[in-house]
Amino acid sequence: MFNTARMALFAALFAGVAGPAFAADFVEPPVVEQAPPAPVYEQPAQYGGWYIRGDIGYRWSKFRGADYITYGDPPSTGSFDSGKLKSAFSAGAGVGYQINQYFRTDVTLDWMSKSKFRGSTSGFCGELQTPCTSVDTSSYSAMLLLANAYVDIGTWQGITPYVGAGIGGAWVKWDSLNNTDDDGSFEHRGGKGWRFAYAAMAGASYCLTDRVKLDVGYRFSHINGGRMFDYASLPNVGPGYDKGINVHEVRGGLRYQFGNSDCAPAPEPYVPEPEPVYTK
């Protein structure tokens, strides 16, 4: 009887101690291990699309000389002894396409305001045909149409240097040439017409907004020679042909990008949500 009671007591004590331990094993939560960080996928930058531009400039033109015909016995050819053109302004607009991050093209049309001309020629004046020197004044204006291509070298702190070149034509208009010497003052009607032209440029652009760039640069353009003035019965001289004009120009303007712009902020990187891994 005593042994049976003692065994029952031991069984009760064992159940009281082991029961909570087994229960704790059943309710303990599983261990959760964090998954390794997921890779970040950077979306590549996109460039390209149409843009428009507007520019203003200040130019210096270099007169490269001119020849003319003098009708006498016999006829002869003369040349200007000197000739200078004053500086003047220009303004233009264009439309272009950004092909990729480094290459773009556009077509531009620029109006070149009147640049005053002053030159001199040598001849003979009076009945005795004594040597004399004349003063010649005029001015020229032009419309310059160019197809251009540019290389954008790279972008640093929003600044993109570039180089470029263009080819096209110029419609040049000379005003009347006034020729004054010891025999008096004479007027030649100015010449006009289209001429071949080309250009080279360099500069840099700066992002003002995600669509608008400030463009500042230098452009050299060469306009081929052509008719400068027509024949005049007095002093029996003409026509005259200039040998071309070199134009040095400092320009500034704005470009508005319709397509994907390198000025726009980079897209947010895609980071997928990590998936937890549960151990059994």
Side-chain angles (χ1 to χ4, degrees), residues 9-38:
L9 179 61
F10 285 154
L13 290 173
F14 179 78
V17 174
F22 285 121
D25 288 339
F26 283 112
V27 300
E28 183 179 357
V31 177
V32 178
E33 295 182 1
Q34 293 292 331

Side-chain angles (χ1 to χ4, degrees), residues 196-248:
F196 174 76
Y198 61 85
M201 61 282 289
S205 64
Y206 177 73
C207 297
L208 296 178
T209 71
D210 61 344
R211 294 288 181 185
V212 179
K213 289 184 177 182
L214 173 66
D215 191 319
V216 178
Y218 161 80
R219 181 174 73 182
F220 166 81
S221 54
H222 171 78
I223 301 173
N224 269 14
R227 182 172 291 227
M228 182 179 179
F229 58 87
D230 292 334
Y231 169 78
S233 57
L234 288 176
N236 208 25
V237 173
Y241 297 87
D242 69 73
K243 299 178 181 178
I245 302 170
N246 289 338
V247 182
H248 303 270

Side-chain angles (χ1 to χ4, degrees), residues 54-245:
D55 302 276
I56 58 173
Y58 190 73
R59 76 183 199 276
W60 297 264
S61 299
K62 181 176 178 56
F63 182 71
R64 303 181 70 240
D67 297 327
Y68 56 89
I69 299 174
T70 299
Y71 291 91
D73 188 17
S76 61
T77 301
S79 299
F80 275 74
D81 297 330
S82 65
K84 289 186 177 181
L85 289 162
K86 288 193 173 182
S87 55
F89 291 94
S90 63
V95 59
Y97 191 82
Q98 184 84 40
I99 298 174
N100 54 42
Q101 184 180 0
Y102 301 104
F103 189 70
R104 58 188 169 89
T105 62
D106 61 30
V107 176
T108 56
L109 179 64
D110 291 89
W111 169 72
M112 296 181 171
S113 63
K114 286 185 178 181
S115 178
K116 293 183 178 180
F117 169 80
R118 183 181 178 90
S120 63
T121 56
S122 299
F124 298 92
C125 299
E127 295 181 359
L128 299 178
Q129 291 293 288
T130 57
C132 62
T133 300
S134 69
V135 175
D136 300 88
T137 58
S138 183
S139 61
Y140 92 95
S141 57
M143 297 289 290
L144 182 63
L145 178 64
L146 293 173
N148 309 291
Y150 309 87
V151 175
D152 292 327
I153 300 172
T155 302
W156 297 269
Q157 302 297 322
I159 300 175
T160 305
Y162 66 84
V163 293
I167 188 171
W171 189 83
V172 178
K173 180 181 182 300
W174 282 96
D175 289 343
S176 295
L177 178 73
N178 295 303
N179 175 275
T180 303
D181 58 22
D182 294 344
D183 287 335
S185 182
F186 308 95
E187 183 176 287
H188 299 261
R189 187 173 62 183
K192 57 185 176 182
W194 282 98
R195 309 179 182 187
F196 174 76
Y198 61 85
M201 61 282 289
S205 64
Y206 177 73
C207 297
L208 296 178
T209 71
D210 61 344
R211 294 288 181 185
V212 179
K213 289 184 177 182
L214 173 66
D215 191 319
V216 178
Y218 161 80
R219 181 174 73 182
F220 166 81
S221 54
H222 171 78
I223 301 173
N224 269 14
R227 182 172 291 227
M228 182 179 179
F229 58 87
D230 292 334
Y231 169 78
S233 57
L234 288 176
N236 208 25
V237 173
Y241 297 87
D242 69 73
K243 299 178 181 178
I245 302 170

